[in-house]
Amino acid sequence: MASQHRKARPTGTRVAGIRTPALATAALTSVALLSQTATAAPSTDDKPSVEEVEKKVDDLYRQAETATEKYNAAKEKTTKQRKQVDTLLDDVAQRAQKLNDAREELGSYAAAQYRTGASAPDTATFLLADTPQDYFDQTQLMGRVTERQKGAVDDYFADQAETMTKRQEAAESLQTLTDSQNDLRTAKATVQKKLSSARALLSQLTAEEKARLAAIEERKRQEAARKAAELAEQQQKAAAEAAAAQQESSDASGSGSTGATGTDTSSSSPSPTPSPSTDSSYATKAEKALAFARAQIGKPYVWGATGPDSYDCSGLTQAAWKAAGVTLPRVTYDQVNAGTTVSLSSAQPGDLVFFYADVTHVGIYIGNGMMIHAPKPGTYVREESIYYDGESSIHSVVRPA
């Protein structure tokens, strides 16, 4: 009877070691939550590191500078084409006025023929003349008039054909100008986009991250200064060796003749490196270019600017050498071909130092491994080591005059 009072067990088999369904579900839920927590935790580290931000910002500035040089080239091209189009349109307008004048002249000839009866038959003209001599005089005069008419007609059609050619040329120039203006707008938009992206990245940095970024940049400046000092030492050593060699050569040549000759040669010892660096006229021009560049220190970098209140890199070098009486092209990849390429070890004050494989940056060398340049947006014209972005960034050195 006692068995009748026992509670009924749930139906179904129970395998040893397996929890009940409720406990199993709870356990699986806990495991799933722990798994989700574990995989979600790294998402807080998705933010780029300061080093990554620095590299990305530098890349954006480089890309903006490349776009700036394209903008400068398109702007220069547009300016030239606009002048060409204006000249062509003025020419077409003058030719059109000339055609109108010629047309009026032809009309006056036709009216004169009608009034004088030049179109009448010769017999009628002879009979209507007061005397035979009047007839012959009139015939001779009309012959000359007819020749003038023919010449006027020929000139009219020649001018008309040339005017049509000029109109076609003007239309083609206008289309080219439109294409250049489109390139100008594209380059400008690219620059603005790159700079906006760089500013956005920098604005996301915390104060601590900005301090770390400043420390990284300071280390780069120190390394660049060290490399500049090394180059300065190498150049000074080479200069001393060149001066000593020249002195020995002067002494040797002087010993075979009068002593006065040797004295005169040694007293006029030129600059340490050989030609073309011994050209005093270049040194004089370089001094003027450098004096101008130094006077611009502290003025802001503005892309596309050529002074006098702001500059981009090639705008500064162009203006500096213009002050020395030397005309340079507007953009870096034209300036790099506007002179004689020299080795870095032979660089002299006034030489242009170009950077990167695509030749998108330039500074003016001042000696001792240093240069004056307009670095990038948000900075000012300043003196800086030519190794500011590493030795591998230096493309070439060019002597422009």
Side-chain angles (χ1 to χ4, degrees):
M1 294 295 295
S3 61
Q4 294 179 356
H5 296 286
R6 294 176 183 171
K7 294 182 178 180
R9 293 182 178 179
T11 58
T13 58
R14 181 177 185 274
V15 180
I18 301 297
R19 298 175 181 271
T20 61
L23 291 174
T25 301
L28 290 172
T29 302
S30 299
V31 171
L33 288 173
L34 287 172
S35 176
Q36 290 176 1
T37 303
T39 56
S43 64
T44 59
D45 296 331
D46 287 345
K47 185 178 180 180
S49 67
V50 173
E51 291 77 10
E52 290 172 335
V53 170
E54 183 210 21
K55 185 179 184 306
K56 182 63 175 176
V57 168
D58 285 346
D59 288 345
L60 286 169
Y61 279 140
R62 280 277 321 281
Q63 292 167 18
E65 196 160 35
T66 299
T68 296
E69 291 304 306
K70 291 181 179 179
Y71 170 87
N72 292 338
K75 185 177 181 181
E76 185 178 40
K77 185 178 180 181
T78 299
T79 301
K80 290 180 179 178
Q81 287 174 338
R82 183 177 288 112
K83 290 180 180 178
Q84 182 182 7
V85 167
D86 290 343
T87 300
L88 284 170
L89 291 177
D90 288 343
D91 186 37
V92 168
Q94 291 172 5
R95 290 178 181 278
Q97 182 60 47
K98 187 177 179 181
L99 282 176
N100 290 334
D101 294 342
R103 191 179 292 111
E104 291 179 4
E105 185 178 3
L106 291 176
S108 67
Y109 284 152
Q113 277 188 329
Y114 178 77
R115 288 194 303 271
T116 59
S119 58
D122 290 342
T123 303
T125 304
F126 178 78
L127 292 174
L128 291 172
D130 293 335
T131 65
Q133 186 62 44
D134 288 343
Y135 165 76
F136 291 116
D137 291 342
Q138 185 178 8
T139 301
Q140 186 178 11
L141 175 63
M142 291 310 300
R144 290 198 299 269
V145 170
T146 302
E147 289 177 3
R148 288 181 60 193
Q149 289 176 341
K150 183 178 183 302
V153 171
D154 290 343
D155 290 344
Y156 174 81
F157 284 114
D159 289 341
Q160 187 180 48
E162 193 167 356
T163 299
M164 293 299 295
T165 300
K166 290 294 182 181
R167 280 177 176 167
Q168 180 63 30
E169 187 177 345
E172 292 173 356
S173 295
L174 278 171
Q175 182 58 50
T176 303
L177 176 60
T178 300
D179 294 340
S180 297
Q181 288 173 330
N182 291 336
D183 292 340
L184 188 65
R185 282 190 288 269
T186 300
K188 182 176 181 179
T190 301
V191 172
Q192 292 173 333
K193 181 180 179 181
K194 300 298 182 183
L195 295 180
S196 295
S197 299
R199 285 191 291 265
L201 278 173
L202 292 173
S203 67
Q204 294 172 4
L205 295 178
T206 65
E208 180 183 356
E209 289 171 332
K210 289 179 181 178
R212 286 174 54 198
L213 182 59
I216 293 172
E217 292 176 347
E218 179 59 28
R219 287 195 295 270
K220 288 176 65 175
R221 279 192 291 269
Q222 290 176 358
E223 175 60 18
R226 185 187 67 78
K227 294 286 293 182
E230 285 183 0
L231 177 61
E233 185 177 355
Q234 292 170 6
Q235 290 179 328
Q236 290 167 5
K237 183 178 179 181
E241 291 174 351
Q246 186 166 7
Q247 183 63 47
E248 289 178 5
S249 176
S250 298
D251 292 343
S253 62
S255 63
S257 58
T258 61
T261 304
T263 303
D264 291 341
T265 304
S266 61
S267 63
S268 60
S269 175
S271 84
T273 48
S275 181
S277 59
T278 53
D279 185 359
S280 60
S281 65
Y282 176 77
T284 301
K285 293 175 182 177
E287 286 177 4
K288 293 180 180 179
L290 288 173
F292 180 92
R294 287 192 177 96
Q296 313 313 309
I297 291 176
K299 293 184 178 181
Y301 174 103
V302 174
W303 64 272
T306 56
D309 300 321
S310 58
Y311 297 89
D312 63 15
C313 66
S314 56
L316 175 64
T317 51
Q318 183 188 46
W321 271 103
K322 183 179 180 181
V326 177
T327 301
L328 292 181
R330 174 64 183 93
V331 295
T332 52
Y333 39 82
D334 287 333
Q335 289 184 7
V336 75
N337 296 316
T340 303
T341 302
V342 298
S343 65
L344 182 58
S345 60
S346 301
Q348 283 195 337
D351 291 350
L352 301 179
V353 186
F354 294 90
F355 297 85
Y356 311 117
D358 53 357
V359 196
T360 51
H361 189 69
V362 63
I364 183 167
Y365 191 65
I366 61 175
N368 296 325
M370 302 292 288
M371 66 177 174
I372 297 174
H373 70 147
K376 60 185 179 182
T379 62
Y380 298 84
V381 176
R382 66 193 184 201
E383 290 186 10
E384 194 164 26
S385 167
I386 62 173
Y387 299 100
Y388 79 107
D389 201 21
E391 186 172 3
S392 62
S393 68
I394 298 175
H395 177 274
S396 58
V397 181
V398 171
R399 192 157 297 155

